[in-house]
């Protein structure tokens, strides 16, 4: 839901809407770090077994290739851009699937390093100080890397500590303070800073200022991520089951945004000012829920959850040879995979 809201807000933000820019910056300061952390947490048992690789291919890589081509086609017909098959350069929101694929492949490496989080932070900071292309979404893969590694190192008791009444009171205060800070700094930091896709030269920053600003962003994001997990309900709710199918609204909502853009919907909403913002926000919620329903999933399941062709399919390991699922570290008490209700495919993709 947060991802879809952020992508929708981006279409109508103007210099005359500092409040919307502040809210957008607040969401972007924590929602991707939080989801990437969860992705790392549920990748703890990944060791590269054949069955794990198979599920990684069908749950992440194949959907990426399919939807990257679909988005390239959508950009061609709706924006008039040339249609080229360049899977090495992700289109729009497809970058996350490619990044997830690469992060998960590296999971065994981080489990053997002595100081994995510190190493990942150094790599993340260094990535912004050198020139690199957008191939394989490499800037984002490296700059967001620390959150994946933090997730790998977290244990269930860490989440339990965040769920006390005192922690939740602090979490509310953190979000209020962060919103006030975002309002004071608006329109900074810009999208280029928050999306983690640009180096310090592209940001027109000095080397030292870039490093200090990135460390500040890490600190703010860490506080917001902790506050976010503190406020996540621990009981099963009606929306809990939707957390297991978020791959569908994640991959589909971007196509609707491109269609609405072509139809001029966002220009109308932009001219309506705050009323347009409220209408867009109110519309995104039911649209995301609709994209999560059974009929929609049944219609697009071959695209979102494709199967490997028979001539390349790996044999399914026998139960006695496969490591039992119970070997994976359990979630904290009263919480399961779905209850995290992630807004990205990090959770809905196969994780074992």
């Amino acid at each position: 839901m947060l991802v879809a809201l952020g992508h929708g807000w981006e279409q109508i933000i103007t210099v005359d809407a500092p409040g919307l820019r502040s809210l957008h910056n607040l969401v972007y300061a924590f929602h991707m770090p939080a989801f990437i952390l969860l992705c790392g947490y549920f990748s703890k048992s990944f060791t590269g077994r054949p069955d794990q690789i198979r599920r990684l291919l069908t749950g992440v890589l194949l959907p990426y290739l399919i939807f990257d081509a679909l988005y390239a086609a959508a950009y061609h017909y709706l924006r008039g851009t040339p249609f080229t098959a360049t899977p090495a350069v992700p289109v729009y929101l497809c970058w996350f699937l490619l990044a997830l694929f690469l992060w998960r492949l590296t999971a065994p490496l981080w489990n053997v390093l002595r100081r994995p989080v510190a190493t990942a932070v150094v790599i993340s900071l260094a990535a912004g100080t050198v020139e690199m292309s957008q191939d394989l979404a490499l800037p984002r893969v490296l700059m967001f890397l620390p959150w994946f590694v933090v997730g790998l190192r977290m244990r269930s008791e860490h989440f339990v500590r965040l769920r006390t009444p005192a922690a939740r009171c602090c979490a509310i205060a953190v979000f209020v303070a962060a919103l006030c800070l975002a309002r004071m700094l608006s329109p900074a930091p810009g999208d280029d800073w928050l999306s983690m896709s640009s180096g310090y030269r592209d940001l027109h920053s000095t080397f030292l200022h870039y490093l200090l600003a990135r460390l500040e962003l890490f600190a703010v994001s860490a506080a917001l991520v902790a506050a976010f997990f503190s406020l996540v309900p621990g009981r099963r709710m009606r929306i809990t089951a939707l957390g297991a199918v978020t791959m569908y609204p994640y991959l589909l909502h971007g196509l609707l945004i491109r269609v609405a853009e072509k139809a001029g919907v966002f220009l109308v909403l932009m001219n309506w000012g705050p009323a347009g913002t409220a209408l867009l926000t109110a519309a995104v919620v039911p649209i995301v829920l609709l994209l999560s329903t059974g009929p929609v999933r049944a219609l697009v399941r071959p695209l979102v959850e494709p199967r490997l062709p028979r001539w390349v399919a790996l044999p399914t390991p026998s139960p006695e040879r496969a490591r039992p699922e119970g070997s994976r570290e359990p979630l904290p008490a009263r919480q399961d995979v779905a209850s995290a209700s992630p807004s990205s495919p990090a959770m809905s993709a196969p994780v074992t």
Side-chain angles (χ1 to χ4, degrees):
M1 195 75 72
L2 290 173
V3 172
L5 284 170
H7 288 159
W9 290 337
E10 287 174 353
Q11 309 301 315
I12 63 173
I13 290 178
T14 65
V15 293
D16 298 326
L20 180 58
R21 167 61 68 178
S22 303
L23 187 59
H24 172 274
N25 288 351
L26 173 65
V27 170
Y28 270 70
F30 79 91
H31 80 317
M32 290 312 301
F35 304 144
I36 295 169
L37 184 150
L38 284 176
C39 170
Y41 182 80
F42 291 107
S43 298
K44 295 164 71 70
S45 65
F46 184 87
T47 59
R49 299 194 317 267
D51 61 307
Q52 293 176 329
I53 295 295
R54 177 193 178 109
R55 297 183 67 181
L56 186 59
L57 292 176
T58 57
V60 180
L61 185 60
L62 284 183
Y64 163 71
L65 295 175
I66 292 171
F67 276 88
D68 191 68
L70 286 177
Y71 274 97
Y75 273 55
H76 172 68
Y77 289 108
L78 299 175
R79 285 188 168 184
T81 59
F83 178 77
T84 54
T86 56
V89 184
V91 180
Y92 197 25
L93 51 74
C94 295
W95 73 268
F96 187 81
L97 275 74
L98 181 58
L100 174 59
F101 178 78
L102 297 175
W103 286 326
R104 189 160 291 161
L105 285 178
T106 67
L109 169 66
W110 301 108
N111 290 327
V112 300
L113 293 181
R114 184 181 296 274
R115 294 179 176 84
V117 175
T119 302
V121 169
V122 171
I123 292 174
S124 176
L125 294 175
T129 64
V130 297
E131 295 287 344
M132 67 177 68
S133 70
Q134 296 296 324
D135 290 354
L136 301 180
L138 196 57
R140 283 173 165 173
V141 169
L142 297 179
M143 292 185 195
F144 277 123
L145 177 63
W147 299 108
F148 179 80
V149 178
V150 168
L152 285 174
R153 305 300 296 176
M154 289 191 70
R155 299 186 299 275
S156 58
E157 53 265 30
H158 293 142
F159 291 96
V160 174
R161 294 173 187 172
L162 294 173
R163 306 182 70 82
T164 63
R168 287 178 167 172
C169 290
C170 291
I172 296 174
V174 167
F175 271 106
V176 172
L179 183 59
C180 294
L181 179 62
R183 185 65 180 85
M184 292 172 54
L185 297 178
S186 181
D191 291 339
D192 291 338
W193 282 95
L194 296 173
S195 65
M196 300 294 169
S197 59
S198 304
Y200 80 96
R201 291 185 180 89
D202 295 327
L203 295 168
H204 307 291
S205 174
T206 64
F207 181 85
L208 181 59
H209 176 264
Y210 171 80
L211 294 180
L212 293 176
R214 284 289 311 281
L215 289 173
E216 291 172 356
L217 284 175
F218 272 134
V220 171
S221 296
L224 288 171
V225 168
F228 171 74
F229 286 128
S230 180
L231 296 177
V232 170
R235 65 188 185 280
R236 294 189 66 88
M237 304 171 66
R238 289 189 175 185
I239 64 172
T240 298
L242 299 179
V245 297
T246 50
M247 178 78 87
Y248 290 84
Y250 178 84
L251 291 175
L252 296 174
H253 83 272
L255 296 173
L256 298 181
I257 285 179
R258 295 283 80 94
V259 171
E261 178 188 52
K262 178 66 174 180
V265 172
F266 295 119
L267 290 177
V268 174
L269 294 176
M270 190 184 303
N271 292 330
W272 287 357
T277 300
L279 181 59
L280 174 63
T281 303
V284 166
V285 175
I287 288 174
V288 170
L289 295 177
L290 176 64
L291 296 177
S292 305
T293 59
V296 174
R297 299 202 310 270
L299 181 64
V300 298
R301 181 170 288 115
L303 302 178
V304 179
E305 300 182 62
R307 295 184 179 182
L308 283 173
R310 289 179 177 272
W311 58 276
V312 297
L314 297 172
T316 303
S318 59
E320 62 271 12
R321 297 187 61 183
R323 191 170 69 174
E325 294 292 331
S327 61
R328 182 175 61 188
E329 180 176 352
L331 281 166
R334 299 178 61 216
Q335 180 173 332
D336 55 16
V337 174
S339 67
S341 296
S343 298
S344 75
M347 299 281 54
S348 51
V351 295
T352 57

